[in-house]
Amino acid sequence: MASSMPRSLLSVSSLLCLFFALACAAPANLVLTKVDRKIDLSSQIVRSTTQIRVENKGSDPASELLLALNSAQAKSLSYLRVTTSEGKGKSKSQAIVLRVLPAEAQSPANVTFYSVQLPKSLNKGETVALDIYSAFTHLLTPYPVEIGQSDVQLVLFHDSAHFLSPYPVKVQATAMKVPSFRVESFTKVEPSKISDGEIRYGPYENVPALSYMPITAHFENNEPFAVVKELEREIEISHWGNIYITEKYHLTHAGARHKGGFSRFDYQSKPSASGASSFRHLLARLPPRAHSVYYRDEIGNISTSHLRSDLRKTELELEPRYPLFGGWQVTFTIGYGIPLQDFVFKAEDGRRFLNITFGSPFVNVVVDNLVVKVVLPEGSTEASATLPFAAEEALRTKYTYLDTVGRPVVELTKKNVVPEHNVHFQVHYRFSSVAMLAEPLLLVVGFFAFFGACIAYTHFDFSISKSSSSYQARQQREEVLDAVQRIQKVMNERAATSDKLEASLRDLARTGNVATCKAARKEADAKLKDTNKDLKAILDSLPASSRSTVLAKVDTLMQKEREKQEKLQQKHTVTVEAYEKKLSSKEIDSRVAPYQQKLTALKQEVAELFHLLDD
Ligand SMILES: *[C@@H]1O[C@H](CO)[C@@H](O)[C@H](O)[C@H]1NC(C)=O
Ligand SMILES: *[C@@H]1O[C@H](CO)[C@@H](O)[C@H](O)[C@H]1NC(C)=O
Ligand SMILES: *[C@@H]1O[C@H](CO)[C@@H](O)[C@H](O)[C@H]1NC(C)=O
């Protein structure tokens, strides 16, 4: 009895040991002998590079290493890459990327573990050096939360002075690079100091496992916090020689919210002291040989973009209709074509594959939710995607005109995307050239059917003579249709003229050059006069009998359209006068506002009437 007691105690404790061994995977015999951490806070993305040296002090070989992040960082983690340059052999230059899996080991409630698979088991007394690179989004919080147009943007960053690790750390140091010399405050944990735009913590010695020493840094960061809430990229492969890419953006400025009014005058005249964190231009790096590039928003094409290209890249610089301040947002679409032979190749197994970059071509943006749709040619089979990171994958079907069975679409969805994800991925598929002929064949058959119908029609139509009433009715209808089309064309010209006139006002706001603006006005007025004549001529050319039918529909449109043109001319006059009198931008805005309001309403009405004309 007396001897069985200790024995059962022994077995309980050994069970407990076993339990802990399973629960914690007993990594306690690993030690980090050196940790050197660099955190880059100079953009909206927090990037950390940590070099560690691991030693196995236990007797059992270790095949995995645990990494730890606190809950906030785990939630914001976008990209994690662990490499070692100590592979087998002596190819030190070639870094090996290690697999990182969700850890099975139990972690404390506010910590998340990741399991790094070591390239080979680490035996007793052996060491290995690893490089850990990670990127986090939405980890810098603006403080103050709201700023005015002339304020700079300050942000807070929370972390730990000690590298969070499930293992004890012998020697460690952390350096945080901030984007400007203006650091409001940072938590001091001796030894810590600031120099040359770097806040340094450590060196600290013999820090126990899971030690967490909260720190906060508060500093200036005027980087544009460009966040794409939603991005849909559609990559459509056509085996007739091109790939067409359409990208739909919902872009926001996720920095400190803008408060108070916005003065365009201050913005343009004192760009350095105004809207420091706002952004006005966006740069996209498109593939070389990109062509047919366009950029539009819900209103229409935007011409204020610049395209530069050389052999290695194509750069597209966009300017949205207004600069983006904190909390503001804009939606737009860009599209371009690229040559098929640069991106689709034949694989060894006879399948074809697309090899193209995954993320947004815009530099320094974060994409909260990215959907990439690869639309394969009709008749493709066995589609599958290969990515260097995890993403949700789904197979769908899309129908466009002339499609009979639909096009297979490989849809990839990924959240929290940073520029590091903008790497090549592949979509393999099987496609026979015969399937390429399906659509032309359909067309040919269609044409034959059409000609057949025409022949039949002319055969049956002999009975209709030129004097018959049905012939005349048709003739008249065609004339009316023709007139309506010509009127639409003139209306389009007039719309283009008013666009130009509005553009001249925008130029005026930018450059203050009154003379150019007046010249543009003169040109526009002349053009409007000409088109007035054209409209009259079209109406006069109609036979009297059909004039009333056209007039009924067109009259209201033409009236409203003239009203709109007049309002625009008035707005133009008032604006130019205001600039000549050198009024403040606030005063200009208030003078122009009533005209602008009416103009907007009229534009809407004209657009609706114009659509009615099509029926
Ligand atoms: C987790 O919570 C404990 C207890 O509140 C605290 O001591 C520790 O610092 C926290 N660790 C992290 C990483 O937040
Ligand atoms: C917009 O630009 C594209 C490409 O240049 C062109 O094909 C399209 O017709 C334009 N749309 C309008 C409404 O001007
Ligand atoms: C895809 O293209 C990139 C860049 O041209 C190249 O480095 C990579 O090897 C290609 N991948 C495949 C699987 O062909």
Side-chain angles (χ1 to χ4, degrees), residues 70 110-111 164 212:
N70 73 35
N110 50 5
V111 175
L164 185 61
Y212 191 81

Side-chain angles (χ1 to χ4, degrees), residues 9 19 166 174 240 257 302 364 368 377 382 404 411 435 447 466 507 520 550 592:
L9 256 183
F19 173 75
T174 296
W240 295 100
R257 276 201 305 280
I302 305 179
N364 296 331
D368 283 348
E382 296 176 44
T404 46
E411 190 177 296
F447 272 122
K466 287 205 167 181
D507 285 346
V550 182
V592 175

Side-chain angles (χ1 to χ4, degrees), residues 518-552:
K518 278 185 160 171
R521 170 66 183 277
K522 212 166 171 187
E523 200 180 310
D525 284 357
K527 181 86 189 158
L528 283 182
K529 238 185 201 160
D530 286 348
T531 50
N532 259 334
K533 276 188 215 147
D534 292 344
L535 283 176
K536 193 160 179 308
I538 296 170
L539 289 178
D540 286 346
S541 72
L542 279 173
S545 55
S546 51
R547 202 168 299 164
S548 58
T549 32
V550 182
L551 279 182

Side-chain angles (χ1 to χ4, degrees), residues 353 355 424 426:
F353 70 99
N355 182 25
H424 283 80
Q426 294 83 33

Side-chain angles (χ1 to χ4, degrees), residues 287-557:
R289 305 217 281 150
H291 59 84
S292 324
V293 181
Y294 67 85
Y295 162 44
R296 65 180 152 78
D297 63 7
E298 61 268 37
I299 306 174
N301 275 356
I302 305 179
S303 52
T304 47
S305 55
H306 306 282
L307 195 65
R308 290 180 292 269
S309 52
D310 60 34
L311 287 175
R312 268 171 294 128
K313 60 181 187 305
T314 309
E315 279 189 345
L316 175 67
E317 193 185 46
L318 304 185
E319 192 177 313
R321 286 179 203 265
Y322 45 83
L324 254 75
F325 281 85
W328 293 14
Q329 42 192 309
V330 66
T331 56
F332 62 87
T333 303
I334 65 170
Y336 47 96
I338 45 180
L340 182 75
Q341 78 260 29
D342 293 4
F343 298 92
V344 170
F345 310 92
K346 252 199 156 141
E348 276 167 13
D349 64 357
R351 288 198 294 171
R352 291 164 203 257
F353 70 99
L354 169 78
N355 182 25
I356 200 166
T357 50
F358 183 74
S360 162
F362 285 99
V363 294
N364 296 331
V365 297
V366 165
V367 183
D368 283 348
N369 196 15
L370 170 64
V371 181
V372 177
K373 294 180 181 172
V374 178
V375 183
L376 300 171
E378 210 182 12
S380 304
T381 51
E382 296 176 44
S384 68
T386 318
L387 284 105
F389 40 73
E392 260 175 64
E393 187 178 339
L395 200 62
R396 302 187 195 284
T397 309
K398 177 186 174 167
Y399 293 92
T400 54
Y401 56 92
L402 286 181
D403 285 350
T404 46
V405 294
R407 298 171 190 233
V409 180
V410 177
E411 190 177 296
L412 303 164
T413 310
K414 186 162 180 66
K415 291 196 177 345
N416 215 359
V417 178
V418 289
E420 279 81 350
H421 289 117
N422 207 358
V423 291
H424 283 80
F425 75 106
Q426 294 83 33
V427 171
H428 281 79
Y429 60 98
R430 200 171 285 287
F431 175 72
S432 81
S433 309
V434 176
M436 257 176 94
L437 295 177
E439 284 183 5
L441 264 178
L442 200 69
L443 277 179
V444 170
V445 171
F447 272 122
F448 271 112
F450 176 71
F451 283 123
C454 283
I455 291 166
Y457 176 75
T458 47
H459 274 280
F460 289 128
D461 207 31
F462 277 140
S463 61
I464 301 172
S465 78
K466 287 205 167 181
S467 58
S468 77
S469 61
S470 72
Y471 176 83
Q472 277 179 356
R474 214 163 66 205
Q475 183 85 7
Q476 202 171 25
R477 210 180 120 64
E478 265 161 27
E479 268 173 35
V480 170
L481 273 182
D482 179 54
V484 169
Q485 273 171 9
R486 270 153 57 206
I487 289 171
Q488 279 177 331
K489 190 164 160 261
V490 177
M491 286 298 187
N492 276 333
E493 278 172 32
R494 287 169 70 90
T497 309
S498 50
D499 282 352
K500 261 195 207 157
L501 199 56
E502 299 218 53
S504 78
L505 284 182
R506 284 197 297 275
D507 285 346
L508 177 64
R510 201 167 52 224
T511 62
N513 189 335
V514 175
T516 339
C517 190
K518 278 185 160 171
R521 170 66 183 277
K522 212 166 171 187
E523 200 180 310
D525 284 357
K527 181 86 189 158
L528 283 182
K529 238 185 201 160
D530 286 348
T531 50
N532 259 334
K533 276 188 215 147
D534 292 344
L535 283 176
K536 193 160 179 308
I538 296 170
L539 289 178
D540 286 346
S541 72
L542 279 173
S545 55
S546 51
R547 202 168 299 164
S548 58
T549 32
V550 182
L551 279 182
K553 267 191 162 181
V554 168
D555 218 25
T556 356
L557 168 64

